[in-house]
Amino acid sequence: CIGYIVPEYAKFPGLLSPSAGITFDSVPNGLGALFVVPQAGLLQMILFAGLVDFGYFRPDKSRAPGDYKNAGILGVPNGSGPMLDTEARKRKLNAELANGRLAMMAIIGEFYQDGV
């Protein structure tokens, strides 16, 4: 949702791609940006997300699924360890799952609105 809302109000100054002469102001919001941003830029974003996902958040067999060493409590990298209160952890994980599902529905709605 941030990629749809924030560019309506603010964009970076300058050039997105100096070699192609593309400015940040010329990139449309939403799905239209996929056709304007150079493929090398899209590849950089995908590789960075993959590096974070597979390089930084390594699974550990001694921890619960989704409880990564580098992530802190519920993915907030604040240097804290796992939550000791199991009932509070379960409640927060269920809230996080519900919020994630709501966010997925919201972004699908924005994709539909953008494509229509």
Side-chain angles (χ1 to χ4, degrees):
C1 293
I2 290 175
Y4 275 87
I5 297 169
V6 172
E8 293 289 333
Y9 301 103
K11 291 191 179 189
F12 288 116
L15 294 171
L16 170 70
S17 174
S19 61
I22 300 172
T23 63
F24 285 103
D25 289 336
S26 67
V27 177
N29 298 343
L31 294 174
L34 293 174
F35 305 105
V36 175
V37 174
Q39 289 182 350
L42 295 174
L43 181 65
Q44 286 175 353
M45 289 185 267
I46 292 168
L47 287 176
F48 178 73
L51 178 70
V52 169
D53 199 28
F54 294 111
Y56 190 66
F57 294 129
R58 306 283 304 174
D60 186 359
K61 301 276 186 201
S62 66
R63 299 175 87 109
D67 184 17
Y68 299 110
K69 178 182 176 185
N70 297 327
I73 294 177
L74 297 176
V76 179
N78 59 3
S80 61
M83 290 184 70
L84 300 177
D85 185 2
T86 57
E87 199 58 38
R89 183 176 194 279
K90 185 184 229 181
R91 188 176 66 251
K92 287 184 179 187
L93 284 174
N94 285 335
E96 186 69 22
L97 281 172
N99 289 339
R101 290 177 181 139
L102 179 62
M104 285 188 280
M105 293 302 294
I107 196 69
I108 293 299
E110 288 178 349
F111 285 160
Y112 182 77
Q113 180 182 6
D114 195 24
V116 170

